[in-house]
Structures are given as C-alpha cells and as structure tokens.
C-alpha cells in the first residue's frame, strides 16, 4: 500500500504538468518583471541594461505617485465598505426568513464582467440621459454633477459600481462564517440578557475575526490591482484623476511601448502587494488562526 | 392571590411586548434588506429596458418606462451586424477548454498532494497557494514577450494556458478540503483488489469528487467568461476575441445607439445569469469555499 502510494514516477506525472505551468506562466514572469525593470526596452528591439534608473525615475514620477495614491484611496474605501457588508450579513444571519434569497440576489452583479459593468455605469452616469442625473433632476437638483468628467468626483463615481459589484461576494463570505457559529453561544448570551447588538458586537464579530482579516486582505489586494473597470469607464481620466497603478503600468507598456519602465511599475505593484499582505496578516494575527487563503 | 395573578400577567405581558417590538424591528430590517436587493437589481432592469428601446424612447421616456413596442430588432441587429456570434463562440471555446484543463490538472495535483506520500508535498502546495496572491499585471509584460517569442501571440492557446495557470491555485484550494475527507479505506480496498493508481484516480476518486468539481467548474467559468486583460493584451485579431473584449470594441462603433449597446451587453451577460438561475447554490458554495476554507 505505502509503496504504491509513494510511487515517485506517478507523483511526478501528476504534479509536473501543473507545476510546470505555474512556474513558466506565473513564477518566471514574476522574476522577469523585476529583471526587465532594470532595462531600457521597447518590447521588440534590443534591451539595454540601465541598472536602477527606471526605479529612480519611478520615485520622481508624480504621475506614478498620483496613481499609487488613487489605488490607496480605493483600498481605504473598500475596507470601509466591509463594515457595510458585515452589518448586512449580521442582519441576514439572524434567522431572517428569505435570507438565502436575499444573499443570492445581492450576488448577481458579481456575475457580470467588469467591462459590462463599466459600460452599464457609463450610461447610468451619463450627464443628461443617465438614470442617476435624471433622478437627481426629478427630485429638484438643478445642476447634477458630471460624475465621470469631474476630476474631484470621478474616483468616488468609480467606487460606487465597485461597491455594487462586490457586495454579494463579501456578504456571502460573512454570512457563511456567521452561520457557522454554534447557536448555543448566542442562546446562552440571550438568557444572560444580552441585546442583539451586544451579541453581534461581543460574540459574533470576535468569533469571525479570522474571516474578517481574510476579507480585509482580499479588499486591499483587490483594490491595489484594480484595472478593468477603470480602463473601460474612464481610461484613467479625466486628466489622470482616476489613474491607478495597474492602469498606469498598462499604458506605459502597451501604449507608450516603454516596457522597461512599465515592468518597474509592475514589479513595484508585486512587492507592494506582498508587503501589504504580510503586514495585514501580522497586525491582525490571532492565536486560533485556522483560516487561510 | 390577586397579587400573584398580576405578577403572572406581567410576566406574560413582557415577552409579548418584546415580540411586538421584535416584529416591528424585523419589518424595518426587511425593508432595508429589500431596498438593498432592489438597488442590486435595478441597474440590470434598466439595462434590459433600454436594450428594447430606440434612442428616442431612451432619451424621452422616463428611465423605467416600458418601451411602447419592444425593439427586439436591436438584438437581431447586433447579432447579425457585428461579430457578436463569433465572439460568443470564442468565449465558449476558451472558457470550456481552460475549465476542463484546469480541473483535470488541479485534480491530479490535489490527489498527489493529499493522498500520496512524499516529502515535498507541503512545499509544492505552498507554491500553488502563493500563486493566489500574485497580481496578473505583474506578469503581463513577460508573458506578452514570451508568447510573442514562441509564436503563441494571437492564438486561443495563449489564453487557455494563461487561464489554466492562473486559475490553478484557487481550484486546488477548493478541491483540497474535499480530498482530505475521502476515507483512506477506499484506496486501500482498491489496491488490495489490484487496482492501479491511474484507475483508482480516474474511476474512483475523480467521480467521487463530482460535486466539488462542479463547484470549481462554475467558479472557473465565471472568471474565464469575464476575463479582460489577458485577451485584450494577447489577442489583436478580431476573429479570435472573446465576448468581453469584443463587445468593448463593438460598442465603440455604436457609441450613440443605446438600444444596440444594451442588447450587446445583455447578450454578453445572459449565459452567466442563466447559469446562476440554475446553479446559484453551487456558486455560493464555491465563493465560500474559495475564500474562507484553508
């Protein structure tokens, strides 16, 4: 039995195809991104080694810092939005009839591609024919905002569809975690006279702390690499007001053919995500850390 | 005597009063939950409505008014005028091929990691799990030049390989929990009966994992059907584009025809909405397993 189940040839045969794929298509590219970042390269011609020049330029590049700042803002928005999702999930999980139906309905936007969502919300935000401004006009707001062409508003306008898109995703995660809490705990607290609010705050939340931590990491990482929706909705505009790190990288490489500099941005993004993940996990580390991702 | 009855009545009154407040409170919660549900659905209702209108109706009627007579020809027009049918077909090929490849390879790996005995299994598992964190954008430039050099640029193969690699970690993660629960006796019995490992895997284990395979298949399908960046970067030929990227260009030509744009978008999201109607439990399960379980 043991001999058959530890047959090296078969183990290799079963693992190598997939392993090879992630090595060639994920891990080697990661290393190469760092390497290309040291080059002056237009993607087709010869590469010239320029050392850390790209990274030095990066530090002095105000457009880059602007896009990094926007990514950070999206991350903060996203983490804050988790509070809303969590509140909804606590309500949903408290033996409400039809909870199952509600959480499924909330999930529907998550099924759509970001491109479709972007195209739909471009029209929702349309200054004169969009639902948003026609609604605002109908309730007597005479000068409704221009949303996507307002440099001060655009990032907020982009965040609304993000909030809409991911609601169901996080609600489902929280709901599942909350439903896993043994009922006796809440029963005992209720007998001791705890209010629903106290039960939620003092029993439910601490018990799902691990899951909350996972969602914080997911929300931050997701925001740092946010791309599709912004690329389609505003292409980073107007005037760079909604540019984020991923869209900046994409433009550098595939529009300006500056593959070396683009790689430097890509590598920065990777390192940033690794560091952020590490720190969030460290900061929120708990002893009973059974949840992984 | 009289005193005790009052006390009893009071005791009975309290829970009843509590229930009344509870009921009131619950109805408020219901209203809030229902409002959120409406907000989640309303943009899509509006989308379907304007996909059936002509521009005049879109701009002059109230947003949620029904069209006087539904313009089904919007759908016919975008389907026959553009390449929507072709994009649709490409999406099916690319999505289908990568889902099958991902699940087959991931099942083999998960089997080897959880059921077979070897020293490096934890290390190999870690390699796959770290892959979960890696942002696709950080791999885009090297992948682009790699596919360019080996002549896979502008092929479905490039897309299928990329999807398979990037979906592998999550798929293994979802499969893992299920594989751990399979009883060892099953394998022992099979081996005693003289079954080879390949037969054991394909005829016993793989069929046994059908429910979790279905879940991962659906999660993979949603990701692949909606993927944008890889196709946008690796495919320039119009005849090879998938729906997500294809409609993006297509909509450019119809920039001002809202009905046509609406119809295009509805067509692109319809397959997943239909899948959701039938398989929502599996989707919910997959999301829960994919993000929370270890």
């Amino acid at each position: 039995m043991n001999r058959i189940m530890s047959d090296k040839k078969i183990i290799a045969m079963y693992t190598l195809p997939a392993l090879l794929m992630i090595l060639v298509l994920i891990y080697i590219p990661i290393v190469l991104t760092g390497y290309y970042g040291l080059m002056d390269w237009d993607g087709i011609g010869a590469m010239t080694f320029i050392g850390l020049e790209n990274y030095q330029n990066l530090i002095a590049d105000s457009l880059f810092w602007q896009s990094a700042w926007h990514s950070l803002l999206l991350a903060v928005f996203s983490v804050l939005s988790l509070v809303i999702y969590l509140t909804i999930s606590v309500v949903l999980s408290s033996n409400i009839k039809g909870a199952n139906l509600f959480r499924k309905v909330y999930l529907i936007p998550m099924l759509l591609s970001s491109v479709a969502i972007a195209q739909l919300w471009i029209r929702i935000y349309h200054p004169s024919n969009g639902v948003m401004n026609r609604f605002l006009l109908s309730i007597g707001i005479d000068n409704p905002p221009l949303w996507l062409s307002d440099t001060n508003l655009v990032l907020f306008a982009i965040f609304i569809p993000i909030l809409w898109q991911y609601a169901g995703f996080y609600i489902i995660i929280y709901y599942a975690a909350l439903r896993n809490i043994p009922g006796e705990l809440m029963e005992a607290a209720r007998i001791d006279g705890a209010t629903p609010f106290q039960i939620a705050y003092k029993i439910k939340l601490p018990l799902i702390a691990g899951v909350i931590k996972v969602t914080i990491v997911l929300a931050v990482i997701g925001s740092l690499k946010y791309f599709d929706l912004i690329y389609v909705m505003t292409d980073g505009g107007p005037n760079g007001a909604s540019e984020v790190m991923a869209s900046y990288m994409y433009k550098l490489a595939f529009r300006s053919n500056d593959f070396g500099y683009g790689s430097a941005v890509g590598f920065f993004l990777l390192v940033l995500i690794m560091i952020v993940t590490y720190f969030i996990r460290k900061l929120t580390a708990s002893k009973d850390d059974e949840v992984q991702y | 005597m009289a005193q005790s009855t009052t006390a009893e009545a009071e005791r009975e009154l309290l829970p009843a009063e509590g229930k009344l407040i509870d009921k009131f409170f619950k109805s408020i919660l219901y209203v809030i939950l229902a409002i959120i549900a409406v907000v989640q659905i309303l943009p899509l209702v509006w989308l379907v409505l304007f996909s059936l209108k002509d521009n005049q109706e879109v701009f002059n009627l109230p947003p949620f008014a029904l069209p006087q007579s539904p313009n089904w020809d919007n759908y016919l027009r975008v389907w026959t005028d553009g390449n929507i049918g072709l994009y649709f077909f490409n999406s099916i090929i690319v999505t289908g091929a990568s889902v099958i490849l991902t699940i087959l390879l991931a099942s083999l790996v998960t089997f080897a990691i959880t059921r077979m005995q070897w020293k490096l299994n934890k290390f190999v598992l870690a390699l796959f799990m770290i892959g979960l964190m890696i942002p696709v954008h950080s791999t885009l430039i090297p992948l682009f030049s790699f596919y360019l050099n080996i002549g896979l640029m502008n092929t479905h193969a490039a897309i299928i390989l990329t999807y398979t690699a990037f979906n592998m970690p999550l798929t293994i993660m979802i499969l893992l929990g299920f594989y751990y629960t399979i009883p060892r006796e099953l394998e022992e019995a099979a081996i005693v009966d003289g079954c080879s490992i390949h037969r054991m895997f394909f005829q016993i284990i793989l069929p046994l994992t059908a429910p979790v395979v279905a879940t991962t298949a659906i999660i993979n399908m949603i990701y692949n059907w909606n993927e944008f960046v890889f196709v946008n970067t690796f495919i320039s030929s119009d005849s090879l584009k998938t729906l997500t990227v294809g409609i993006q260009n297509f909509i450019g030509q119809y920039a001002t025809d809202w009905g046509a744009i609406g119809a295009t978008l509805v067509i692109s999201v319809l397959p997943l909405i239909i899948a959701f109607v039938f398989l929502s439990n599996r989707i919910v399960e997959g999301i829960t397993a994919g993000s929370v379980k270890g």
Side-chain angles (χ1 to χ4, degrees), chain A residues 184-225:
Chain A
E184 301 92 63
L185 283 174
M186 267 95 80
E187 204 46 56
R190 215 166 286 138
I191 290 167
D192 288 347
T195 65
F197 183 77
Q198 282 172 324
I199 292 176
Y201 193 70
K202 294 209 167 126
I203 296 177
K204 289 182 177 176
L205 289 192
L207 280 172
I208 63 160
V211 173
I212 294 176
K213 186 172 86 176
V214 172
T215 55
I216 291 174
V217 176
L218 285 177
V220 172
I221 293 180
S223 310
L224 292 182
K225 58 186 188 191

Side-chain angles (χ1 to χ4, degrees), chain A residues 27 33 97 106 111 134 266, chain B residues 30 33 61 127 138 226 281:
Chain A
Y27 283 102
T33 296
K97 266 192 209 137
Y106 296 165
L111 302 172
R134 286 177 69 166
Chain B
Y30 263 110
L33 290 175
L61 291 177
L127 272 183
S138 301
N226 289 335
N281 279 331

Side-chain angles (χ1 to χ4, degrees), chain A:
Chain A
M1 166 77 190
N2 276 351
R3 203 154 45 91
I4 297 175
M5 291 309 273
S6 55
D7 187 327
K8 290 270 164 7
K9 245 191 234 159
I10 291 179
I11 291 170
M13 202 191 288
Y14 281 19
T15 49
L16 281 183
L19 206 53
L20 210 65
M21 275 188 106
I22 66 157
L23 285 181
V24 172
L25 301 177
I26 300 181
Y27 283 102
I28 294 177
I30 288 298
V31 177
L32 283 177
T33 296
Y35 172 72
Y36 293 162
L38 305 172
M39 301 287 158
D40 182 19
W41 184 38
D42 63 3
I44 305 154
M47 287 184 212
T48 324
F49 181 80
I50 52 166
L52 291 175
E53 202 181 302
N54 282 328
Y55 292 94
Q56 281 162 354
N57 290 341
L58 201 67
I59 291 169
D61 183 352
S62 63
L63 285 177
F64 169 73
W65 288 113
Q66 193 189 11
S67 67
W69 168 243
H70 295 150
S71 293
L72 182 76
L73 276 179
L74 282 185
V76 172
F77 282 151
S78 300
V79 172
L80 290 178
S81 66
L82 293 180
V83 179
I84 303 173
Y85 301 146
L86 192 54
T87 313
I88 297 171
S89 311
V90 169
V91 171
L92 266 188
S93 68
S94 59
N95 287 326
I96 277 211
K97 266 192 209 137
N100 227 352
L101 183 70
F102 277 126
R103 70 189 176 129
K104 278 178 194 166
V105 170
Y106 296 165
L107 189 68
I108 291 174
M110 174 86 192
L111 302 172
L112 318 187
S113 68
S114 294
V115 173
I117 290 177
Q119 289 291 355
L120 174 58
W121 281 81
I122 287 174
R123 274 145 200 99
I124 290 176
Y125 283 132
H126 191 281
S128 50
N129 303 320
V131 190
M132 190 71 92
N133 280 1
R134 286 177 69 166
F135 171 74
L136 291 178
L137 281 167
S138 75
I139 59 166
I141 295 171
D142 284 338
N143 285 312
L146 294 172
W147 302 108
L148 297 178
S149 37
D150 184 328
T151 47
N152 295 317
L153 262 184
V154 65
L155 214 54
F156 174 73
I158 282 173
F159 182 68
I160 300 289
I162 298 178
L163 189 73
W164 177 76
Q165 181 180 12
Y166 286 100
F169 176 75
Y170 288 108
I171 288 172
I172 275 178
I173 297 175
Y174 288 142
Y175 180 84
L178 288 164
R179 296 298 287 184
N180 273 339
I181 300 175
E184 301 92 63
L185 283 174
M186 267 95 80
E187 204 46 56
R190 215 166 286 138
I191 290 167
D192 288 347
T195 65
F197 183 77
Q198 282 172 324
I199 292 176
Y201 193 70
K202 294 209 167 126
I203 296 177
K204 289 182 177 176
L205 289 192
L207 280 172
I208 63 160
V211 173
I212 294 176
K213 186 172 86 176
V214 172
T215 55
I216 291 174
V217 176
L218 285 177
V220 172
I221 293 180
S223 310
L224 292 182
K225 58 186 188 191
Y226 215 74
F227 177 77
D228 297 9
L229 189 94
I230 291 177
Y231 181 83
V232 176
M233 269 179 103
T234 62
D235 198 18
N239 207 5
S242 63
E243 197 82 85
V244 288
M245 275 189 283
S247 65
Y248 188 54
M249 183 237 105
Y250 199 85
K251 278 184 186 166
L252 286 173
F254 299 103
R255 284 208 203 137
S256 326
N257 286 329
D258 200 344
F259 279 66
Y261 195 38
S263 295
V265 176
F267 193 68
F268 182 92
L269 183 64
L270 172 77
V271 173
L272 187 67
I273 284 181
M274 293 293 172
I275 293 175
V276 166
T277 311
Y278 177 79
F279 273 106
I280 295 176
R281 300 198 70 179
K282 260 264 156 7
L283 282 175
T284 54
S286 57
K287 265 178 278 166
D288 51 343
D289 214 355
E290 89 279 30
V291 189
Q292 288 168 0
Y293 45 91

